[in-house]
Amino acid sequence: MFIFGASNSYGVFSTYYLNDKFAGTSATTLSWIGTLVTSLMLGCSIFTGAMADKRGYRVTAYTGTVICTLAYILASLSKEVWQLILTQGVMLGIGASFLFAPSVSIPSQWFIKNRGLATGIAVAGSSLGGLWFTAATQAMIDSLGAEWALRILGILTFVVTSSMNLLYYRRVPAKSRDSLFELRAAKRLIFWLVSIETCAIYTGYWALTFYIGTTAKHLGGTLRDGSNLLLVLNAGSIVGRVMAG
């Protein structure tokens, strides 16, 4: 909820950066922030998943908690776009991968009959987090400014994920592996079909998430209108994720 929710609500920050703080900066440059968060969160899970198997879920998750908290705090002190790319983009994305990897593997270990539904509900938490993060972030930016919004999100991430990490418990022992990558999977057609499908889905999904607020502004709406559209997007995503499960 807190990790994927943060990336799902990045459109609020994107709209603010493009239309206010860094109004003279191109959308392409600013898009690196959100793009790096999501790509590193998912891509680095290859490594953090292996770490979770070897070192344990809680150690891995708490590592992510510390990195994500520091990323938010450092981002709040950033004055240049490249600093935000390194903190709110690279650092937050890497930290999120430490929390994401163990989180998505737990539900399937505890359910057999309703495993798909359980996983769908768990994944729907990312959109629920997007709902909360979107509304809260917009309210904090309006009343306190973006810098304090980032600091508060960092504090909340530390408190909430630190508490939730205590509940991480592996039911099925990790299997030993000879190497980090299962190269045999690349020989299966289903592997490539799922990979292409996932790439296509996220290409369209993240582009819409990041720019829906800015598009609303260009069509004559307000920043609040863009935030509301992002809320609706996340609400619809909750239903879709649960039904897909």
Side-chain angles (χ1 to χ4, degrees):
M1 176 177 175
F2 259 73
I3 300 308
F4 235 114
S7 60
N8 282 351
S9 64
Y10 173 71
V12 175
F13 280 109
S14 177
T15 303
Y16 171 75
Y17 292 152
L18 279 170
N19 296 280
D20 195 317
K21 188 171 183 177
F22 301 110
T25 305
S26 69
T28 302
T29 301
L30 288 171
S31 68
W32 278 102
I33 301 172
T35 301
L36 285 169
V37 171
T38 54
S39 60
L40 289 174
M41 176 179 64
L42 298 174
C44 289
S45 294
I46 297 173
F47 307 98
T48 56
M51 177 180 174
D53 289 341
K54 188 173 183 179
R55 301 297 182 186
Y57 280 6
R58 291 179 183 173
V59 172
T60 304
Y62 276 115
T63 301
T65 293
V66 172
I67 296 175
C68 287
T69 301
L70 287 175
Y72 276 120
I73 300 302
L74 292 175
S76 72
L77 302 175
S78 300
K79 303 298 182 183
E80 304 290 339
V81 174
W82 68 267
Q83 295 171 336
L84 282 174
I85 291 175
L86 292 179
T87 54
Q88 197 176 0
V90 175
M91 192 173 180
L92 184 59
I94 293 174
S97 71
F98 282 88
L99 286 161
F100 177 74
S103 298
V104 295
S105 64
I106 288 178
S108 61
Q109 295 185 22
W110 290 92
F111 294 87
I112 297 177
K113 182 179 180 181
N114 297 310
R115 179 174 293 172
L117 179 60
T119 302
I121 293 174
V123 176
S126 62
S127 296
L128 181 61
L131 273 174
W132 182 87
F133 264 81
T134 298
T137 300
Q138 186 64 63
M140 287 187 288
I141 290 177
D142 291 341
S143 59
L144 301 173
E147 290 76 15
W148 270 106
L150 287 165
R151 290 169 194 147
I152 294 173
L153 289 177
I155 294 171
L156 287 173
T157 297
F158 180 82
V159 172
V160 174
T161 60
S162 292
S163 302
M164 294 299 100
N165 292 347
L166 293 173
L167 303 178
Y168 282 11
Y169 180 75
R170 176 187 286 278
R171 179 174 177 270
V172 180
K175 296 181 179 179
S176 60
R177 56 172 76 187
D178 298 326
S179 62
L180 181 62
F181 300 100
E182 291 288 345
L183 298 179
R184 290 176 298 178
K187 299 179 181 180
R188 302 175 60 185
L189 178 61
I190 188 66
F191 171 84
W192 292 106
L193 291 177
V194 172
S195 297
I196 294 171
E197 176 192 29
T198 303
C199 181
I201 290 173
Y202 278 125
T203 298
Y205 178 74
W206 292 121
L208 180 61
T209 301
F210 293 163
Y211 293 116
I212 191 171
T214 301
T215 302
K217 187 76 166 55
H218 287 171
L219 291 176
T222 64
L223 295 180
R224 178 65 63 178
D225 293 330
S227 178
N228 290 337
L229 286 173
L230 192 55
L231 283 170
V232 174
L233 176 64
N234 280 296
S237 184
I238 293 175
V239 178
R241 291 170 191 263
V242 174
M243 292 180 64

